Amino acid sequence: MRADRLMALVLLLQQRGQVTAAEVARELEVSERTARRDLDALGMAGVPVYSVQGRGGGWRLVGGARTDLSGLTAGEARALFLVAGPASTVTPAVKAALRKLVHALPEPFREQAEAAASALVTDPQRWGSSRVEPRPPRFLDELQDAVIRGVQVRLGYVDRDGTATGRTVHPLGVVAKGPAWYLVAGTEAGRRTFRIDRVSSVDPTADPVHRPEDFDLAGSWREIADEVERRRMPVEAHALCAPHGIGVLRMGFGARLDVGGATTDGRVEVVIRGNDAHKLAGELAGLVDYLEVTGPAGVLDHLAAIGTVLVERYGPERRGTRTAER
């Protein structure tokens, strides 16, 4: 019997109190014979279900037995415990909480849920890289707690230049970006982002956080991340790309590439970002088969200079000189 159909049966019994084989057949779109077989299998699997014979009879859960996880499907239950396995990167508190949820599952689900916890290993290290695993920053739990409780904190912070400061902030949310963790908070100077591994102290207060009514952590983080990317990659090269070259650009530039619409000649408008005009020109110079860079002037000047050097070093006249020397 499929696990998702078993869960559907349990939920149906909990919702209605009593069901007949005909009702189960209609709900699950199976034959009445299959419905009866599934109901029998439910009892054999350990779910406390029994049948009432005669007129007005049907199938019931013993004592109205219920599970607190009445909205959880079999697949969702397994997915939860996949992240509770020994190789998981979630915190010990999360693992402990998920394992406690096993006891709220119907008996037939427990074996699959527990097996899921050891069914997956994730290894984030690339081949040849260090085996040192990044640890969560020291004050991560305290800041998460402040966000959840909605209280201001006095924050000690050391910036990238090593300057130590202290301020009272309104914690609004915590974000994980790769191995780094960030606190998004309101301050007297407006909304700011703090790397949690640079936090030197956290002292919660009794004062409530002033949280904007329209604040959305995911949307706010997207704005922050876009701004950071603009600062990291301030140079934007505009170009026209042959359609068959878009895949090459995606592989080479990833998130630094924005693809626009098609032009009248069939080429595609693209924008490629970089942190330096000369370096970006060097990356683009080898893509002349696909790409025509149209601006800005600084990138075009560097491309022209690169072309001049290439011709001087590898042009026909230079090749002839090198052949004569041999």
Side-chain angles (χ1 to χ4, degrees):
M1 158 178 204
R2 288 178 52 183
D4 54 353
R5 208 160 74 224
L6 183 151
M7 176 58 94
L9 269 176
V10 172
L11 297 179
L12 196 59
L13 283 161
Q14 290 184 160
Q15 181 183 12
R16 299 188 181 179
Q18 176 177 302
V19 295
T20 65
E23 290 172 340
V24 170
R26 284 195 302 271
E27 290 286 343
L28 303 186
E29 298 181 349
V30 296
S31 67
E32 286 194 29
R33 181 178 179 182
T34 298
R36 291 191 186 94
R37 186 169 62 244
D38 287 351
L39 286 160
D40 286 332
L42 204 60
M44 294 176 63
V47 176
V49 63
Y50 69 101
S51 63
V52 178
Q53 302 299 319
R55 188 180 183 87
W59 296 78
R60 301 176 182 174
L61 291 170
V62 174
R66 298 185 63 83
T67 169
D68 289 336
L69 300 179
S70 56
L72 204 62
T73 67
E76 290 168 342
R78 291 193 295 270
L80 275 176
F81 291 97
L82 277 173
V83 301
S88 172
T89 56
V90 299
T91 65
V94 173
K95 290 186 181 182
L98 290 176
R99 291 187 178 280
K100 287 178 182 178
L101 291 178
V102 171
H103 300 293
L105 290 171
E107 183 66 33
F109 284 145
R110 295 184 191 176
E111 183 177 350
Q112 288 190 20
E114 290 171 341
S118 58
L120 177 69
V121 169
T122 59
D123 185 355
Q125 299 294 332
R126 296 185 180 183
W127 297 111
S129 62
S130 170
R131 297 298 305 173
V132 176
E133 297 287 344
R135 294 183 177 182
R138 177 183 172 189
F139 292 104
L140 176 60
D141 288 344
E142 288 87 343
L143 291 171
Q144 286 178 320
D145 182 65
V147 171
I148 293 168
R149 292 195 297 119
V151 296
Q152 299 177 39
V153 298
R154 286 184 285 273
L155 194 72
Y157 193 72
V158 180
D159 65 20
R160 67 177 63 189
D161 298 321
T163 304
T165 58
R167 72 199 80 187
T168 298
V169 303
H170 299 249
L172 299 173
V174 171
V175 176
K177 174 72 170 175
W181 290 83
Y182 296 86
L183 171 70
V184 179
T187 71
E188 292 182 351
R191 196 170 302 166
R192 293 291 183 269
T193 304
F194 303 90
R195 275 191 61 135
I196 298 181
D197 58 0
R198 293 180 183 155
V199 173
S200 57
S201 64
V202 173
D203 183 16
T205 72
D207 299 321
V209 163
H210 299 310
R211 188 181 185 90
E213 291 184 4
D214 61 347
F215 177 75
D216 173 67
L217 180 59
S220 180
W221 179 254
R222 282 193 296 271
E223 293 175 3
I224 293 167
D226 289 345
E227 178 61 25
V228 171
E229 284 298 326
R230 282 192 291 270
R231 292 179 181 177
R232 289 181 63 248
M233 302 288 175
V235 180
E236 293 187 349
H238 296 258
L240 300 174
C241 181
H244 63 279
I246 294 296
V248 176
L249 297 188
R250 290 191 192 280
M251 287 189 293
F253 297 102
R256 295 164 54 196
L257 169 71
D258 289 329
V259 179
T263 61
T264 55
D265 63 1
R267 291 183 294 177
V268 180
E269 295 177 337
V270 297
V271 176
I272 303 165
R273 294 182 295 277
N275 60 7
D276 177 87
H278 182 264
K279 291 179 181 178
L280 185 56
E283 292 179 285
L284 300 176
L287 299 171
V288 66
D289 287 344
Y290 310 107
L291 211 60
E292 179 187 349
V293 179
T294 58
V299 174
L300 293 175
D301 290 343
H302 285 299
L303 281 170
I306 291 171
T308 299
V309 171
L310 289 173
V311 170
E312 290 177 351
R313 184 166 299 176
Y314 302 108
E317 295 181 0
R318 178 59 178 164
R319 286 204 305 271
T321 302
R322 297 173 75 177
T323 301
E325 291 175 349
R326 290 177 183 175

Short mmCIF file of all heavy atoms in Angstrom, two decimals, residues 25-77:
data_model
loop_
_atom_site.label_atom_id
_atom_site.label_comp_id
_atom_site.label_asym_id
_atom_site.label_seq_id
_atom_site.Cartn_x
_atom_site.Cartn_y
_atom_site.Cartn_z
N ALA A 25 -13.44 4.76 -1.37
CA ALA A 25 -13.23 4.52 -2.80
C ALA A 25 -13.46 5.80 -3.61
O ALA A 25 -12.69 6.11 -4.51
CB ALA A 25 -14.15 3.41 -3.28
N ARG A 26 -14.51 6.56 -3.26
CA ARG A 26 -14.79 7.80 -3.97
C ARG A 26 -13.72 8.85 -3.71
O ARG A 26 -13.26 9.53 -4.62
CB ARG A 26 -16.16 8.35 -3.56
CG ARG A 26 -17.34 7.60 -4.18
CD ARG A 26 -18.63 8.41 -4.04
NE ARG A 26 -18.92 8.72 -2.63
CZ ARG A 26 -19.63 7.94 -1.83
NH1 ARG A 26 -20.12 6.78 -2.30
NH2 ARG A 26 -19.88 8.28 -0.58
N GLU A 27 -13.32 8.98 -2.45
CA GLU A 27 -12.34 10.00 -2.09
C GLU A 27 -10.97 9.74 -2.71
O GLU A 27 -10.30 10.67 -3.17
CB GLU A 27 -12.20 10.09 -0.56
CG GLU A 27 -13.41 10.67 0.15
CD GLU A 27 -13.51 12.18 -0.04
OE1 GLU A 27 -12.50 12.79 -0.42
OE2 GLU A 27 -14.60 12.72 0.18
N LEU A 28 -10.55 8.48 -2.71
CA LEU A 28 -9.20 8.15 -3.16
C LEU A 28 -9.16 7.66 -4.60
O LEU A 28 -8.09 7.32 -5.10
CB LEU A 28 -8.58 7.10 -2.23
CG LEU A 28 -8.51 7.48 -0.76
CD1 LEU A 28 -7.73 6.41 0.02
CD2 LEU A 28 -7.85 8.83 -0.56
N GLU A 29 -10.34 7.61 -5.22
CA GLU A 29 -10.46 7.18 -6.62
C GLU A 29 -9.86 5.80 -6.86
O GLU A 29 -9.02 5.59 -7.74
CB GLU A 29 -9.79 8.22 -7.54
CG GLU A 29 -10.44 9.59 -7.47
CD GLU A 29 -9.79 10.61 -8.40
OE1 GLU A 29 -8.71 10.32 -8.94
OE2 GLU A 29 -10.36 11.69 -8.55
N VAL A 30 -10.31 4.86 -6.00
CA VAL A 30 -9.92 3.46 -6.14
C VAL A 30 -11.20 2.63 -6.10
O VAL A 30 -12.30 3.15 -5.84
CB VAL A 30 -8.96 3.02 -5.02
CG1 VAL A 30 -7.65 3.78 -5.11
CG2 VAL A 30 -9.60 3.20 -3.64
N SER A 31 -11.10 1.33 -6.34
CA SER A 31 -12.26 0.45 -6.26
C SER A 31 -12.61 0.18 -4.80
O SER A 31 -11.76 0.35 -3.90
CB SER A 31 -11.98 -0.87 -6.97
OG SER A 31 -10.98 -1.60 -6.27
N GLU A 32 -13.86 -0.24 -4.54
CA GLU A 32 -14.24 -0.56 -3.17
C GLU A 32 -13.41 -1.72 -2.64
O GLU A 32 -13.08 -1.77 -1.45
CB GLU A 32 -15.73 -0.91 -3.09
CG GLU A 32 -16.64 0.30 -3.22
CD GLU A 32 -18.07 -0.01 -2.82
OE1 GLU A 32 -18.28 -0.90 -1.97
OE2 GLU A 32 -18.97 0.65 -3.36
N ARG A 33 -13.08 -2.66 -3.52
CA ARG A 33 -12.26 -3.79 -3.10
C ARG A 33 -10.89 -3.30 -2.62
O ARG A 33 -10.39 -3.74 -1.59
CB ARG A 33 -12.10 -4.77 -4.27
CG ARG A 33 -11.27 -6.00 -3.94
CD ARG A 33 -11.21 -6.92 -5.14
NE ARG A 33 -10.40 -8.09 -4.85
CZ ARG A 33 -10.14 -9.06 -5.72
NH1 ARG A 33 -10.65 -8.99 -6.95
NH2 ARG A 33 -9.39 -10.09 -5.38
N THR A 34 -10.30 -2.37 -3.39
CA THR A 34 -9.00 -1.81 -2.97
C THR A 34 -9.14 -1.02 -1.68
O THR A 34 -8.27 -1.08 -0.80
CB THR A 34 -8.44 -0.90 -4.08
OG1 THR A 34 -8.22 -1.67 -5.26
CG2 THR A 34 -7.13 -0.25 -3.66
N ALA A 35 -10.27 -0.30 -1.53
CA ALA A 35 -10.49 0.48 -0.31
C ALA A 35 -10.55 -0.43 0.91
O ALA A 35 -9.96 -0.12 1.96
CB ALA A 35 -11.78 1.29 -0.44
N ARG A 36 -11.27 -1.55 0.79
CA ARG A 36 -11.36 -2.48 1.93
C ARG A 36 -9.99 -3.08 2.24
O ARG A 36 -9.62 -3.22 3.41
CB ARG A 36 -12.36 -3.61 1.60
CG ARG A 36 -13.81 -3.15 1.53
CD ARG A 36 -14.75 -4.34 1.47
NE ARG A 36 -16.11 -3.90 1.27
CZ ARG A 36 -16.69 -3.80 0.06
NH1 ARG A 36 -15.99 -4.10 -1.03
NH2 ARG A 36 -17.94 -3.38 -0.04
N ARG A 37 -9.25 -3.42 1.19
CA ARG A 37 -7.92 -3.98 1.41
C ARG A 37 -7.01 -2.96 2.09
O ARG A 37 -6.23 -3.30 3.00
CB ARG A 37 -7.32 -4.41 0.07
CG ARG A 37 -5.99 -5.15 0.22
CD ARG A 37 -5.54 -5.80 -1.07
NE ARG A 37 -5.30 -4.80 -2.11
CZ ARG A 37 -5.98 -4.72 -3.23
NH1 ARG A 37 -6.98 -5.56 -3.46
NH2 ARG A 37 -5.70 -3.81 -4.14
N ASP A 38 -7.12 -1.68 1.68
CA ASP A 38 -6.30 -0.64 2.32
C ASP A 38 -6.68 -0.44 3.78
O ASP A 38 -5.81 -0.24 4.64
CB ASP A 38 -6.46 0.68 1.56
CG ASP A 38 -5.74 0.69 0.22
OD1 ASP A 38 -4.98 -0.25 -0.05
OD2 ASP A 38 -5.94 1.65 -0.54
N LEU A 39 -7.98 -0.50 4.08
CA LEU A 39 -8.43 -0.33 5.46
C LEU A 39 -7.94 -1.48 6.33
O LEU A 39 -7.52 -1.28 7.47
CB LEU A 39 -9.95 -0.21 5.51
CG LEU A 39 -10.50 1.14 5.02
CD1 LEU A 39 -11.98 1.02 4.65
CD2 LEU A 39 -10.30 2.22 6.08
N ASP A 40 -7.97 -2.70 5.79
CA ASP A 40 -7.44 -3.84 6.53
C ASP A 40 -5.92 -3.68 6.74
O ASP A 40 -5.40 -3.97 7.82
CB ASP A 40 -7.72 -5.14 5.76
CG ASP A 40 -9.17 -5.57 5.85
OD1 ASP A 40 -9.83 -5.23 6.86
OD2 ASP A 40 -9.64 -6.25 4.90
N ALA A 41 -5.23 -3.21 5.68
CA ALA A 41 -3.78 -3.03 5.79
C ALA A 41 -3.43 -1.96 6.81
O ALA A 41 -2.40 -2.04 7.50
CB ALA A 41 -3.20 -2.65 4.43
N LEU A 42 -4.31 -0.97 6.94
CA LEU A 42 -4.09 0.10 7.91
C LEU A 42 -4.02 -0.48 9.33
O LEU A 42 -3.13 -0.13 10.11
CB LEU A 42 -5.22 1.12 7.81
CG LEU A 42 -4.97 2.56 8.28
CD1 LEU A 42 -3.85 3.19 7.49
CD2 LEU A 42 -6.25 3.39 8.16
N GLY A 43 -4.97 -1.35 9.65
CA GLY A 43 -4.96 -1.98 10.97
C GLY A 43 -3.76 -2.88 11.16
O GLY A 43 -3.13 -2.88 12.22
N MET A 44 -3.39 -3.63 10.12
CA MET A 44 -2.22 -4.53 10.23
C MET A 44 -0.93 -3.74 10.38
O MET A 44 0.04 -4.23 10.96
CB MET A 44 -2.15 -5.43 8.99
CG MET A 44 -3.32 -6.40 8.87
SD MET A 44 -3.27 -7.37 7.35
CE MET A 44 -1.73 -8.27 7.59
N ALA A 45 -0.92 -2.50 9.87
CA ALA A 45 0.28 -1.68 9.96
C ALA A 45 0.44 -1.01 11.32
O ALA A 45 1.45 -0.35 11.58
CB ALA A 45 0.25 -0.60 8.88
N GLY A 46 -0.58 -1.12 12.19
CA GLY A 46 -0.45 -0.58 13.53
C GLY A 46 -1.33 0.61 13.83
O GLY A 46 -1.35 1.09 14.96
N VAL A 47 -2.08 1.11 12.83
CA VAL A 47 -2.99 2.21 13.09
C VAL A 47 -4.21 1.66 13.83
O VAL A 47 -4.81 0.67 13.39
CB VAL A 47 -3.43 2.89 11.77
CG1 VAL A 47 -4.46 3.98 12.04
CG2 VAL A 47 -2.22 3.48 11.06
N PRO A 48 -4.62 2.26 14.97
CA PRO A 48 -5.74 1.72 15.77
C PRO A 48 -7.09 1.95 15.11
O PRO A 48 -7.85 2.84 15.47
CB PRO A 48 -5.62 2.50 17.09
CG PRO A 48 -4.99 3.79 16.70
CD PRO A 48 -4.03 3.47 15.59
N VAL A 49 -7.39 1.14 14.08
CA VAL A 49 -8.63 1.27 13.34
C VAL A 49 -9.44 -0.03 13.46
O VAL A 49 -8.87 -1.12 13.56
CB VAL A 49 -8.34 1.59 11.86
CG1 VAL A 49 -7.58 0.47 11.18
CG2 VAL A 49 -9.61 1.91 11.09
N TYR A 50 -10.75 0.08 13.52
CA TYR A 50 -11.60 -1.11 13.61
C TYR A 50 -12.87 -0.89 12.80
O TYR A 50 -13.24 0.24 12.48
CB TYR A 50 -11.95 -1.43 15.06
CG TYR A 50 -12.88 -0.43 15.72
CD1 TYR A 50 -14.23 -0.69 15.86
CD2 TYR A 50 -12.39 0.80 16.20
CE1 TYR A 50 -15.09 0.23 16.46
CE2 TYR A 50 -13.23 1.73 16.79
CZ TYR A 50 -14.57 1.43 16.92
OH TYR A 50 -15.42 2.35 17.50
N SER A 51 -13.54 -1.99 12.46
CA SER A 51 -14.75 -1.90 11.64
C SER A 51 -15.98 -2.13 12.50
O SER A 51 -15.96 -2.92 13.45
CB SER A 51 -14.70 -2.93 10.50
OG SER A 51 -14.66 -4.24 11.02
N VAL A 52 -17.07 -1.43 12.15
CA VAL A 52 -18.36 -1.59 12.80
C VAL A 52 -19.29 -2.21 11.76
O VAL A 52 -19.52 -1.64 10.69
CB VAL A 52 -18.92 -0.24 13.28
CG1 VAL A 52 -20.30 -0.42 13.91
CG2 VAL A 52 -17.95 0.42 14.25
N GLN A 53 -19.82 -3.41 12.07
CA GLN A 53 -20.64 -4.13 11.12
C GLN A 53 -22.09 -3.67 11.18
O GLN A 53 -22.52 -3.01 12.13
CB GLN A 53 -20.58 -5.64 11.42
CG GLN A 53 -19.18 -6.23 11.38
CD GLN A 53 -18.52 -6.08 10.02
OE1 GLN A 53 -19.18 -6.26 8.99
NE2 GLN A 53 -17.24 -5.74 10.01
N GLY A 54 -22.86 -3.99 10.13
CA GLY A 54 -24.29 -3.75 10.12
C GLY A 54 -24.66 -2.38 9.57
O GLY A 54 -23.81 -1.60 9.12
N ARG A 55 -25.98 -2.09 9.64
CA ARG A 55 -26.51 -0.83 9.11
C ARG A 55 -25.89 0.35 9.86
O ARG A 55 -25.82 0.38 11.07
CB ARG A 55 -28.04 -0.81 9.28
CG ARG A 55 -28.72 0.36 8.59
CD ARG A 55 -30.22 0.28 8.82
NE ARG A 55 -30.91 1.34 8.12
CZ ARG A 55 -31.31 1.26 6.85
NH1 ARG A 55 -31.08 0.15 6.15
NH2 ARG A 55 -31.95 2.26 6.27
N GLY A 56 -25.45 1.34 9.13
CA GLY A 56 -24.81 2.50 9.74
C GLY A 56 -23.38 2.23 10.20
O GLY A 56 -22.80 3.04 10.91
N GLY A 57 -22.82 1.09 9.78
CA GLY A 57 -21.47 0.75 10.18
C GLY A 57 -20.42 1.42 9.32
O GLY A 57 -20.72 2.24 8.45
N GLY A 58 -19.18 1.05 9.56
CA GLY A 58 -18.06 1.62 8.82
C GLY A 58 -16.76 1.39 9.57
O GLY A 58 -16.65 0.47 10.38
N TRP A 59 -15.80 2.21 9.30
CA TRP A 59 -14.47 2.10 9.92
C TRP A 59 -14.21 3.31 10.79
O TRP A 59 -14.51 4.44 10.42
CB TRP A 59 -13.41 1.99 8.84
CG TRP A 59 -13.53 0.73 8.01
CD1 TRP A 59 -14.41 0.51 6.99
CD2 TRP A 59 -12.76 -0.44 8.15
NE1 TRP A 59 -14.24 -0.75 6.48
CE2 TRP A 59 -13.22 -1.36 7.17
CE3 TRP A 59 -11.72 -0.83 9.00
CZ2 TRP A 59 -12.68 -2.64 7.02
CZ3 TRP A 59 -11.17 -2.09 8.85
CH2 TRP A 59 -11.65 -2.99 7.88
N ARG A 60 -13.64 3.05 11.98
CA ARG A 60 -13.35 4.12 12.93
C ARG A 60 -11.96 3.95 13.53
O ARG A 60 -11.40 2.85 13.52
CB ARG A 60 -14.37 4.13 14.07
CG ARG A 60 -15.80 4.32 13.65
CD ARG A 60 -16.72 4.21 14.85
NE ARG A 60 -18.13 4.34 14.48
CZ ARG A 60 -19.14 4.17 15.33
NH1 ARG A 60 -18.90 3.87 16.60
NH2 ARG A 60 -20.39 4.31 14.90
N LEU A 61 -11.42 5.04 14.08
CA LEU A 61 -10.20 4.99 14.86
C LEU A 61 -10.56 4.69 16.31
O LEU A 61 -11.52 5.26 16.84
CB LEU A 61 -9.43 6.32 14.79
CG LEU A 61 -8.79 6.65 13.44
CD1 LEU A 61 -8.29 8.09 13.44
CD2 LEU A 61 -7.65 5.70 13.14
N VAL A 62 -9.82 3.80 16.94
CA VAL A 62 -10.08 3.44 18.33
C VAL A 62 -9.98 4.68 19.21
O VAL A 62 -8.97 5.40 19.20
CB VAL A 62 -9.08 2.37 18.82
CG1 VAL A 62 -9.26 2.12 20.32
CG2 VAL A 62 -9.27 1.08 18.04
N GLY A 63 -11.05 4.94 19.97
CA GLY A 63 -11.04 6.07 20.89
C GLY A 63 -10.90 7.41 20.21
O GLY A 63 -10.50 8.39 20.84
N GLY A 64 -11.19 7.48 18.91
CA GLY A 64 -11.02 8.75 18.19
C GLY A 64 -9.57 9.18 18.09
O GLY A 64 -9.25 10.37 18.07
N ALA A 65 -8.65 8.19 18.08
CA ALA A 65 -7.21 8.48 18.07
C ALA A 65 -6.85 9.49 16.99
O ALA A 65 -7.38 9.45 15.89
CB ALA A 65 -6.43 7.18 17.84
N ARG A 66 -5.95 10.41 17.34
CA ARG A 66 -5.56 11.46 16.41
C ARG A 66 -4.05 11.67 16.47
O ARG A 66 -3.39 11.26 17.41
CB ARG A 66 -6.25 12.79 16.75
CG ARG A 66 -7.77 12.74 16.66
CD ARG A 66 -8.36 14.12 16.87
NE ARG A 66 -7.94 15.05 15.84
CZ ARG A 66 -8.53 15.15 14.64
NH1 ARG A 66 -9.54 14.37 14.34
NH2 ARG A 66 -8.10 16.02 13.76
N THR A 67 -3.53 12.35 15.47
CA THR A 67 -2.15 12.81 15.49
C THR A 67 -2.14 14.32 15.39
O THR A 67 -2.96 14.90 14.68
CB THR A 67 -1.31 12.21 14.35
OG1 THR A 67 -0.07 12.89 14.29
CG2 THR A 67 -2.01 12.39 13.00
N ASP A 68 -1.25 14.98 16.10
CA ASP A 68 -1.16 16.44 16.04
C ASP A 68 -0.67 16.92 14.68
O ASP A 68 -0.76 18.10 14.36
CB ASP A 68 -0.23 16.96 17.13
CG ASP A 68 -0.85 16.81 18.50
OD1 ASP A 68 -2.09 16.76 18.60
OD2 ASP A 68 -0.08 16.72 19.47
N LEU A 69 -0.10 16.00 13.89
CA LEU A 69 0.43 16.38 12.58
C LEU A 69 -0.60 16.04 11.50
O LEU A 69 -0.29 15.46 10.48
CB LEU A 69 1.75 15.63 12.31
CG LEU A 69 2.86 15.92 13.31
CD1 LEU A 69 4.10 15.13 12.96
CD2 LEU A 69 3.18 17.39 13.38
N SER A 70 -1.87 16.42 11.74
CA SER A 70 -2.95 16.00 10.85
C SER A 70 -2.82 16.58 9.45
O SER A 70 -3.45 16.09 8.52
CB SER A 70 -4.30 16.41 11.44
OG SER A 70 -4.33 17.80 11.68
N GLY A 71 -2.05 17.62 9.27
CA GLY A 71 -1.90 18.18 7.93
C GLY A 71 -0.65 17.72 7.21
O GLY A 71 -0.35 18.20 6.13
N LEU A 72 0.10 16.79 7.78
CA LEU A 72 1.39 16.38 7.23
C LEU A 72 1.22 15.17 6.32
O LEU A 72 0.65 14.16 6.71
CB LEU A 72 2.34 16.03 8.37
CG LEU A 72 3.84 16.12 8.11
CD1 LEU A 72 4.23 17.54 7.76
CD2 LEU A 72 4.60 15.65 9.34
N THR A 73 1.71 15.27 5.08
CA THR A 73 1.66 14.13 4.17
C THR A 73 2.87 13.23 4.42
O THR A 73 3.84 13.63 5.07
CB THR A 73 1.68 14.57 2.70
OG1 THR A 73 2.96 15.16 2.42
CG2 THR A 73 0.59 15.59 2.42
N ALA A 74 2.81 12.02 3.83
CA ALA A 74 3.93 11.09 4.02
C ALA A 74 5.23 11.67 3.47
O ALA A 74 6.28 11.58 4.09
CB ALA A 74 3.61 9.76 3.33
N GLY A 75 5.14 12.28 2.28
CA GLY A 75 6.34 12.87 1.69
C GLY A 75 6.89 14.01 2.51
O GLY A 75 8.11 14.16 2.67
N GLU A 76 6.00 14.84 3.08
CA GLU A 76 6.44 15.95 3.92
C GLU A 76 7.10 15.45 5.19
O GLU A 76 8.08 16.02 5.67
CB GLU A 76 5.26 16.86 4.25
CG GLU A 76 4.75 17.65 3.05
CD GLU A 76 3.41 18.30 3.31
OE1 GLU A 76 2.71 17.88 4.26
OE2 GLU A 76 3.05 19.21 2.56
N ALA A 77 6.56 14.37 5.76
CA ALA A 77 7.16 13.79 6.97
C ALA A 77 8.57 13.31 6.68
O ALA A 77 9.51 13.56 7.44
CB ALA A 77 6.30 12.65 7.49
#
